[in-house]
Amino acid sequence: MQMQANERKVTGFGSLPPEVVVAILLNLDWQNILRLQLVNTVLNDIVKSHTAVQYHVELGVTGMVDGPPFPYAPFTTDERLTRLRLYQARWKHLKQTRVQSVRFAKGAVWELVSGVLAQGVTTEHDELTGASEMRKLSFTKLPVGARASTKTQEWSHENYEFPIRDFTLDPTQDLLVLVRAGQRFDTSAEIHLRSLRTNEKHPAAKRAVVSHRLEGESRRYSHMMQICQDRFCVLHTGLHEVWPEKLAVYNWKTGHLDFAIQFCGIMSFSFLSDRHLLLAVHPFNVMPARQGDQQPRLLILDIDQTAAISPSGHPRSYAAICEFHFPELQQYADVEDILIHSDPAPYMHGRYEKESSDLDGVQQPVAFSIAPQNRVFVITMSVATVYDDAGDHRASEVNHLAIFIPLSTFLPYIMSPRETDLIPANLLDEEFFFGDFENTPRRRIAVEWRDWLCGGARMLRVPSVQRVWVCNVFGGRFVYALQAYDEVVPHAARHVAVLDFNGPAIRRDQASLHREVAGDTQLNINKEREVECEVECADGVQERESRKKLKGGTLIEDVLEPGTLSAESCGIFEEDVTTYLPYRRTVLPEKVRFDGVMLTEDNIIFVNRRAPKEYEVLTF
C-alpha cells in the first residue's frame, strides 16, 4: 500500500504543462492571477516568466485594455508590455517625450475627441448683419507617444454649403455631426451626419440630415453634444435663459428620434452607457418635490424606457431609475452652474473588422487603450455663498467644487433591475410646478448622499472651473490649474496638476515602496522618498497625504485617506462632507502661461489665445 501511494502521480493544477497553465491564467482576471501567485512557487514562477501573463496583469492594474491584434496593430506582446510600462511611467512623473505647437484657428468653435482637435474657421461675413460665418473645419490628429509613436496629421474640409453653428465628432466611427447655423426666425435644429474623412454623407447613416423644432430661434441656443455607439444626444440650452432647454436623443444610423424633452431642467449630461444618460438637473423642474426644495441632483435616465413612453418621440415625462441627492445647501448658498465631464464615451471593445483599415489617418492602431470601465465622471459646481445674515448677494463670493465619481459607483444602479419614476417634461403648468408639495413623499428612486457620495467619490474645492476649455478629463485622469485665472494679470504663469484616480496602480506602488523600506533597501536615486504628514489643504479639505518629491522637481502626492469639506470654512453645505476615493496628484515643476488646459489619452494641451495664438501640445 505504501508503494502504491508513492507511485501515485501528482495530479491537479500544478501537474499541467506550463503552456496550458498560461492559457488558463489568461482567461482569469488580474486579481485572481495575483492571488494564484501566492499559492506556490511554481505558479509564481510561471506568472513572472511569461510575458503574456505579465502583460495581462499590467493591463488590469493600470485600467487598460489590449489594442487590436496583429496584423491590425504591428506590436508583439513584449513590445506592448514595454510600451505600457513606459506609458505609465511618463504619466506618473509627467515626463513628456515631445512638445509641439498647433496653430490656433480664427473661429469660436472647437472640439477635442479621441485625440483629434477640430477647429471651426471663420471664412466670411454675412452681408446683412455683418456677423461672421463658419464654413471651414480644420482637423489635427495629435501625436501619440508610448502607445504607438505616431506623428501629427492635419486635414480640413472647406466650402461648406451652409454656415456651421456647432459640431462634434467620433473618430472611432469616422463620424462628423454638424449643426447648421440658423437664420433669423428659424426655429429648426438641423443636424448633418457626415464622414470625418471625406465630408460626404456617412455610409452607415440612412439619413444625411435629421431635425427637430426648438421653442425659440435656433441661433439663440448653445449645443452640448455627445456620441455613444449608435446613439447621438444633444442638449440645446437657451442663451441668457430666454428659451427652455431641450434634450434630444437619436439613433444616428437609422435617423430615428428616440425622444425629445424640454421644460425638464437639465443643465448637463453624459452617457453612462448606450442605454443610460447621467443628468445634472435644476431643482425647480424636478417635480414633484418638497416645498422649498432647491437642491440640484443627478439622475440616471433610461433611454429605452423613455423612448417607449411615446412612439412619436415627444413624451410628457422621462423614465429615471435613480436620483442621487447632494448634501443640503446652506440657506444663502446658490448653485449657479453644474456640469458633467467624462471622456471617452462608452464604446464596444474587441471588434476589429477589415473596414477598420479605412480609418488610417484618423484612428490609427495603438498597443493598448483606456478600458471602457476606467472612467471618472467629473461634476463641477459653481456655488455663490453669502456670509451675512440678511442674504445680501452683493457680499457673496463664488466657490468651485469638483466631484470625482468613478463609473463603478453608478454600475450597481444600472446593472440590476430597478423601479423607475416618471419625471414630468414637455409641459409648463403653473399649478403643477408651483403647487403645494409639502406633503409629497420622496421618490422611490432617491439615493441619499451618504449612501453614494461618502464612499464612492471624492469632493474637492478647486480654484476655478473651466467653462470654455472643458475637455480636461480622460479616463481616470483630470487636469486643472492650481491657481485661479487672474483678470488683472490674465496671462500670469500658473502651476498645473494632474489627478489620477486609478486606485489599483496607486496601491501597488505603495505596497512596493513599503516592501523596499521594510527591507532596508537603499533606494535608487530615481526612486521616490516618502514622507507622510497631516496637511490642511488650501482647498479646505483635511487629508492625510503621502508626499513624494522626485529629483527632477515633480511633486507627486498619493492621497489615500478620506477628505472633509468643512461647512464652517466653505459656507456651502449645512454639515461637513467627508468623501473617500484614493487618487494621485502630480504637479508640473514649472509654471506655464495659458488660458485653458485640456487632456487626451496621450497629451496635455495648453491653450494660448494671445500672441502667439497656439495650442502647446505635450505628448507622453
Side-chain angles (χ1 to χ4, degrees):
M1 295 293 294
Q2 183 67 34
M3 183 178 298
Q4 292 178 356
N6 292 335
E7 291 177 351
R8 189 176 298 160
K9 293 183 178 180
V10 178
T11 60
F13 198 68
S15 65
L16 297 175
E19 58 272 17
V20 176
V21 176
V22 169
I24 294 174
L25 292 177
L26 293 179
N27 284 280
L28 301 177
D29 59 43
W30 62 273
Q31 295 100 326
N32 283 324
I33 294 177
L34 294 181
R35 294 187 186 102
L36 282 174
Q37 276 190 276
L38 304 177
V39 173
N40 55 46
T41 57
V42 175
L43 289 175
N44 183 51
D45 292 341
I46 290 176
V47 172
K48 288 185 176 181
S49 61
H50 285 78
T51 303
V53 180
Q54 293 180 45
Y55 180 55
H56 183 68
V57 171
E58 196 71 17
L59 286 173
V61 172
T62 57
M64 311 295 282
V65 291
D66 196 15
F70 186 86
Y72 301 108
F75 307 109
T76 66
T77 302
D78 287 339
E79 292 172 333
R80 292 171 192 258
L81 179 59
T82 300
R83 286 179 176 273
L84 180 54
R85 288 172 172 169
L86 178 62
Y87 176 82
Q88 290 299 120
R90 286 177 178 175
W91 274 107
K92 179 181 178 180
H93 306 304
L94 292 186
K95 298 297 183 182
Q96 68 272 13
T97 183
R98 72 183 83 162
V99 180
Q100 64 186 85
S101 299
V102 175
R103 184 176 60 86
F104 196 101
K106 181 182 178 182
V109 184
W110 61 274
E111 187 62 275
L112 177 64
V113 180
S114 297
V116 176
L117 174 64
Q119 302 180 74
V121 183
T122 302
T123 55
E124 58 183 76
H125 295 270
D126 186 275
E127 296 180 358
L128 297 178
T129 64
S132 60
E133 289 189 347
M134 183 171 61
R135 294 179 181 265
K136 176 183 178 180
L137 298 179
S138 66
F139 304 91
T140 304
K141 179 66 175 71
L142 300 179
V144 178
R147 293 194 308 134
S149 301
T150 64
K151 297 181 179 180
T152 303
Q153 300 181 21
E154 297 181 344
W155 71 100
S156 63
H157 299 161
E158 302 185 24
N159 301 322
Y160 278 94
E161 62 274 22
F162 56 85
I164 300 170
R165 176 67 177 85
D166 206 344
F167 63 91
T168 190
L169 57 146
D170 183 356
T172 63
Q173 301 188 86
D174 186 36
L175 178 61
L176 175 64
V177 178
L178 307 171
V179 178
R180 178 172 182 165
Q183 301 299 316
R184 192 176 183 184
F185 306 122
D186 184 4
T187 61
S188 174
E190 186 177 291
I191 299 168
H192 295 249
L193 306 170
R194 300 196 174 186
S195 165
L196 180 59
R197 292 178 298 112
T198 66
N199 196 30
E200 302 293 334
K201 172 183 172 294
H202 197 286
K206 289 185 177 181
R207 298 171 58 184
V209 182
V210 295
S211 64
H212 51 267
R213 309 295 297 182
L214 302 175
E215 284 294 309
E217 297 180 10
S218 59
R219 64 191 182 121
R220 303 292 186 185
Y221 284 82
S222 64
H223 314 280
M224 179 181 183
M225 298 177 283
Q226 192 175 24
I227 302 165
C228 177
Q229 300 177 39
D230 293 353
R231 282 190 159 120
F232 162 73
C233 184
V234 55
L235 174 64
H236 307 285
T237 303
L239 300 179
H240 312 298
E241 300 181 352
V242 175
W243 303 108
E245 69 288 336
K246 186 167 188 173
L247 182 79
V249 178
Y250 284 92
N251 183 313
W252 66 268
K253 291 185 177 180
T254 64
H256 174 70
L257 174 66
D258 287 324
F259 65 86
I261 54 177
Q262 60 184 4
F263 297 109
C264 48
I266 298 173
M267 305 173 73
S268 183
F269 78 92
S270 183
F271 277 101
L272 280 173
S273 71
D274 63 329
R275 293 185 57 249
H276 300 95
L277 288 172
L278 180 66
L279 307 178
V281 296
H282 190 280
F284 294 109
N285 285 356
V286 184
M287 297 293 179
R290 294 169 297 165
Q291 186 178 21
D293 183 4
Q294 301 179 12
Q295 308 293 318
R297 62 208 65 187
L298 303 175
L299 285 99
I300 297 180
L301 180 150
D302 189 299
I303 297 176
D304 290 338
Q305 292 193 45
T306 302
I309 295 175
S310 172
S312 66
H314 298 279
R316 293 176 63 87
S317 59
Y318 62 89
I321 61 175
C322 270
E323 180 185 76
F324 299 96
H325 289 206
F326 289 111
E328 193 80 12
L329 293 170
Q330 294 191 12
Q331 181 179 3
Y332 297 117
D334 180 27
V335 175
E336 296 183 341
D337 196 14
I338 177 169
L339 296 174
I340 304 175
H341 312 273
S342 180
D343 200 29
Y347 66 94
M348 294 295 293
H349 174 258
R351 295 189 304 178
Y352 308 107
E353 303 172 355
K354 294 181 179 179
E355 289 78 4
S356 63
S357 61
D358 296 336
L359 298 182
D360 290 347
V362 177
Q363 197 70 8
Q364 296 180 333
V366 294
F368 46 84
S369 300
I370 292 287
Q373 70 274 13
N374 185 19
R375 300 168 59 210
V376 167
F377 293 82
V378 183
I379 316 297
T380 56
M381 300 175 62
S382 298
V383 185
T385 55
V386 183
Y387 292 101
D388 66 347
D389 294 334
D392 186 357
H393 281 260
R394 291 175 297 179
S396 67
E397 70 175 21
V398 178
N399 290 279
H400 304 285
L401 298 179
I403 307 171
F404 303 90
I405 313 170
L407 178 61
S408 57
T409 297
F410 295 117
L411 282 179
Y413 299 97
I414 65 177
M415 297 299 291
S416 58
R418 300 182 62 86
E419 292 183 302
T420 60
D421 268 343
L422 298 181
I423 312 298
N426 284 343
L427 56 89
L428 184 58
D429 187 328
E430 288 190 8
E431 182 179 352
F432 180 82
F433 282 109
F434 301 102
D436 183 6
F437 297 101
E438 187 173 7
N439 298 319
T440 301
R442 299 177 71 82
R443 284 203 189 90
R444 296 169 299 171
I445 62 171
V447 181
E448 292 301 323
W449 69 272
R450 289 184 180 87
D451 296 331
W452 70 273
L453 185 60
C454 292
R458 174 74 70 164
M459 180 182 290
L460 298 175
R461 191 176 174 188
V462 294
S464 61
V465 171
Q466 294 189 148
R467 289 183 171 83
V468 178
W469 313 104
V470 295
C471 298
N472 49 11
V473 58
F474 197 98
R477 295 192 185 96
F478 174 78
V479 64
Y480 72 113
L482 293 181
Q483 295 84 29
Y485 183 82
D486 193 335
E487 297 288 349
V488 179
V489 189
H491 209 46
R494 294 179 285 171
H495 277 299
V496 171
V498 173
L499 304 185
D500 191 340
F501 290 88
N502 183 13
I506 296 172
R507 287 189 287 269
R508 183 182 64 176
D509 289 351
Q510 288 289 313
S512 176
L513 183 62
H514 289 316
R515 283 195 299 269
E516 289 179 344
V517 173
D520 197 23
T521 305
Q522 180 65 40
L523 298 181
N524 187 281
I525 195 171
N526 292 323
K527 296 283 185 180
E528 305 93 342
R529 60 183 180 84
E530 178 183 53
V531 179
E532 291 198 352
C533 57
E534 288 287 346
V535 297
E536 175 70 22
C537 298
D539 55 13
V541 180
Q542 292 184 359
E543 296 168 337
R544 185 172 180 84
E545 296 182 343
S546 175
R547 289 179 172 245
K548 296 175 280 184
K549 188 69 175 292
L550 299 184
K551 184 180 180 182
T554 302
L555 176 66
I556 300 178
E557 301 169 326
D558 287 346
V559 182
L560 306 173
E561 300 295 328
T564 300
L565 193 71
S566 169
E568 181 178 356
S569 62
C570 296
I572 298 176
F573 300 112
E574 286 286 355
E575 54 187 307
D576 293 351
V577 179
T578 299
T579 57
Y580 173 70
L581 184 67
Y583 69 93
R584 170 174 290 154
R585 175 166 48 202
T586 307
V587 183
L588 280 172
E590 302 295 334
K591 288 186 175 182
V592 184
R593 300 180 186 274
F594 61 93
D595 295 293
V597 59
M598 302 188 292
L599 185 73
T600 72
E601 193 165 2
D602 304 285
N603 317 99
I604 293 177
I605 303 106
F606 294 107
V607 185
N608 295 300
R609 294 182 297 178
R610 298 166 179 81
K613 295 184 177 181
E614 62 183 13
Y615 298 90
E616 184 179 0
V617 181
L618 280 59
T619 303
F620 297 89

